[in-house]
Amino acid sequence: MSQARSSKSSDFIRDIVNEDMKTGKHQGRVATRFPPEPNGYPHIGHAKSICLNFGISLQYGGTCNLRMDDTDPAGESMEYVESLIRDVKWLGFDWGDRLYYASDYYEKLYQYAVTLIKRGKAYVCSLSADEIREYRGTFTEPGKESPFRDRSVEESLDLFTRMRAGEFEDGTHVLRARIDMASPNITMRDPVMYRIKKETHYRTGDTWCIYPMYDFAHCLSDSIEGITHSICTLEFENNRPLYDWFLDQLQVDHHPQQIEFARLNLSYTVMSKRKLIELVEKGIARGWDDPQMPTISGMRRRGYTPEAIRDFCERIGVAKNDSLVEMAFLENCVREDLNEESPRVMAVLRPLRVVIDNYPEGRVEEFDCPYHPQKPEMGSRKVPFSRELYIEQEDFMENPPKKYYRLAPGREVRLRYGYFVKCVNVVKDPNTGEVIEIHCTFDPETKSGFAPDGRKVDATIHWVSAAHSLPAEVRLYDRLFRVANPLREGTDFIEFLNPKSVEILMNCRIEPSMKETVPGDKYQFERLGYFCTDPDSSANIIVFNRTVTLRDTWAKIVEKKKA
RNA sequence: UGGGGCGUCGUCAAGCGGUAAGACACAAGAUUUUGGUUCUUGCAUACGGAGGUUCGAAUCCUCCCGCCCCAGCCA
């Protein structure tokens, strides 16, 4: 697997790593990790963290582990582990043989907990969950000490052993750290370290019925793996004193440094796992890999490339400001990459029949069309031309407004890589008045698109031959939500869904050169956007997803007029 | 409300006491057989606000204002 190019740009985290390298803090070693919980599919927010952690390790010649932070059996599964592995790999990163699981550390963690009990730094508390909450106090009032706080070491040890042995029901006892119930930082008010959960774990099965909490497991997992820089998101800033507390109390010989950065928010979508699950479960998305989803798998299916996503993650930077990055930024990165890499091809999404009156019936010509106007090395393909064609409905207007310079009665345009044609007649449905067919004449002197007399046309439009083109289904995706930030307080984000976030066109026509396309293939449909072949394609019909539109200055002009 | 964090262009984001990078977006123009691409130009006398220190402040100090996170036996 090819490793992604390391980042050259700097940020406050790289500044810290630089400084540590200079001072020899970790003997010049850099070890990071990407530690997802396998309870959902990774999304573009994870991609930011993945690029950061793997990017830093690459830049400094260090390592980056992939670690499943699986300390809560509820909701975790192998399906999610597999999605994480697949997507990190697809993004272009390599963890070598360092795929780890917090669940592999359960025995070690248990022993660490026992050590803490023996040192009087942890105790078994038999308050109920509700009582623990009450005892915790509030932002303004200190908490109260649990009546079990001064339980003897022997009794706690005995109880903890029996908790592990399965003698107690869920919720009857927990193991707590003995810190400070009056701490202004609520995280430090005797946090829970272990809870009883008689639930089958996707990896350890029923071996355990007590599971460590994040704060206890995470710092120790980092320490066990020799992580130097433990990078996480801002909401864990309050937890840092606790991260350090466990490591200090246990006097471990390796104490990683936790550094927090702002998680990514993207406009017109949602990023939280809970909400993505809701979209999947309510059937709003057709699954985790629905091209509308901000998941890595959704974006892959939609046609985004790993290069574009990595470029995006580099360009948004890393800081501590809460940020809402514009979707347009991501789309720009996608277009930039696709513009370079995609072969051009012609497809008509909403066909309008065109008859070239003076073109001989039965005659077929083949035009040689380059795959990329700026890259002749990408080669070309043959596109058949005949008397009956399809063009885009949008490319003809009976009464065109000013500045519209496509086809209209009496007007001449160029068919891309073909002839100049002039509209001479319009056929309408007698009932609806809808234009159902237009008639044109072509100028045989303008083959391949130039007029020997030097006359110009205002527009070049795309087309396909009616008889030779292939049927296709095209799925057009737009932003998932109507508003930039659907997470406004006091509202349900579902209300802000964009009802037109997907439009499925069943009667599209594509040029015959695409007959052998396979899922994942990427193209630019000339003048329309970037599209990729979807796995739903069958022998009967090829299905495409629109990855992103082309920049469309005409659409902008139309928009402005409306406003 | 106690604690923690953050406030620099519409959106991200550099800047680390010497006089506001860059990208996206936006606007104008040039080139163009994609109203695409490419190119050129414009776009913060101003850094949440008010004071102060200094020859000099986005950078240091003081006070104020705003936003985010924490009261799961989630991570």
Side-chain angles (χ1 to χ4, degrees), chain A residues 194-450:
Chain A
Y194 271 89
R195 73 286 212 185
I196 302 171
K197 251 188 191 187
K198 295 195 170 166
E199 214 168 305
T200 303
H201 187 276
Y202 77 101
R203 288 189 80 239
T204 59
D206 296 318
T207 307
W208 293 86
C209 63
I210 57 172
Y211 292 94
M213 299 288 289
Y214 165 85
D215 288 301
F216 181 64
H218 202 89
C219 56
L220 288 164
S221 301
D222 282 345
S223 177
I224 289 166
E225 292 178 19
I227 299 304
T228 56
H229 303 271
S230 176
I231 300 167
C232 63
T233 44
L234 243 33
E235 67 270 25
F236 292 104
E237 215 148 18
N238 294 320
N239 303 47
R240 190 170 63 219
L242 183 52
Y243 184 103
D244 291 328
W245 189 88
F246 283 123
L247 297 179
D248 288 341
Q249 295 305 318
L250 287 162
Q251 297 164 292
V252 294
D253 42 39
H254 182 75
H255 190 141
Q257 177 184 4
Q258 176 178 307
I259 305 169
E260 311 85 9
F261 72 98
R263 62 159 11 117
L264 169 67
N265 294 295
L266 243 196
S267 66
Y268 298 101
T269 188
V270 290
M271 215 66 93
S272 91
K273 249 184 265 184
R274 214 210 90 236
K275 296 198 170 55
L276 294 179
I277 287 173
E278 192 173 333
L279 293 176
V280 172
E281 286 178 350
K282 287 191 172 163
I284 293 160
R286 293 215 253 180
W288 287 97
D289 71 340
D290 186 309
Q292 298 179 90
M293 294 282 272
T295 50
I296 308 291
S297 50
M299 291 181 166
R300 173 171 54 235
R301 183 162 179 184
R302 180 157 170 166
Y304 287 25
T305 60
E307 290 79 9
I309 294 174
R310 271 189 258 128
D311 183 41
F312 170 74
C313 290
E314 272 183 32
R315 287 164 70 169
I316 54 174
V318 179
K320 297 186 75 160
N321 303 334
D322 287 317
S323 61
L324 180 64
V325 177
E326 287 178 348
M327 195 64 176
F329 208 118
L330 212 207
E331 290 179 341
N332 171 70
C333 295
V334 173
R335 285 195 191 101
E336 241 174 58
D337 184 39
L338 261 19
N339 176 49
E340 289 297 313
E341 308 299 328
S342 307
R344 272 59 171 170
V345 105
M346 290 195 283
V348 174
L349 268 31
R350 297 174 176 87
L352 173 62
R353 191 170 197 84
V354 176
V355 180
I356 314 288
D357 290 338
N358 60 340
Y359 196 85
E361 243 167 292
R363 180 170 161 197
V364 178
E365 285 182 86
E366 279 199 323
F367 298 141
D368 190 55
C369 306
Y371 273 124
H372 191 123
Q374 279 81 32
K375 293 185 164 188
E377 68 275 16
M378 282 178 73
S380 63
R381 81 288 182 188
K382 298 273 189 251
V383 179
F385 181 86
S386 63
R387 188 167 191 268
E388 294 186 9
L389 311 172
Y390 290 119
I391 65 167
E392 210 67 61
Q393 284 171 20
E394 274 188 346
D395 287 339
F396 173 82
M397 277 188 102
E398 199 176 9
N399 300 299
K402 242 189 223 152
K403 285 196 181 164
Y404 179 92
Y405 45 80
R406 276 111 94 150
L407 203 56
R411 256 208 234 164
E412 188 174 49
V413 299
R414 171 168 40 228
L415 295 177
R416 175 131 243 221
Y417 300 125
Y419 297 101
F420 284 12
V421 293
K422 187 186 228 170
C423 175
V424 293
N425 197 210
V426 179
V427 180
K428 293 185 197 175
D429 182 309
N431 299 317
T432 65
E434 185 196 354
V435 176
I436 50 173
E437 181 179 292
I438 62 172
H439 283 69
C440 293
T441 55
F442 85 111
D443 178 352
E445 299 299 311
T446 58
K447 180 161 178 177
S448 81
F450 286 107

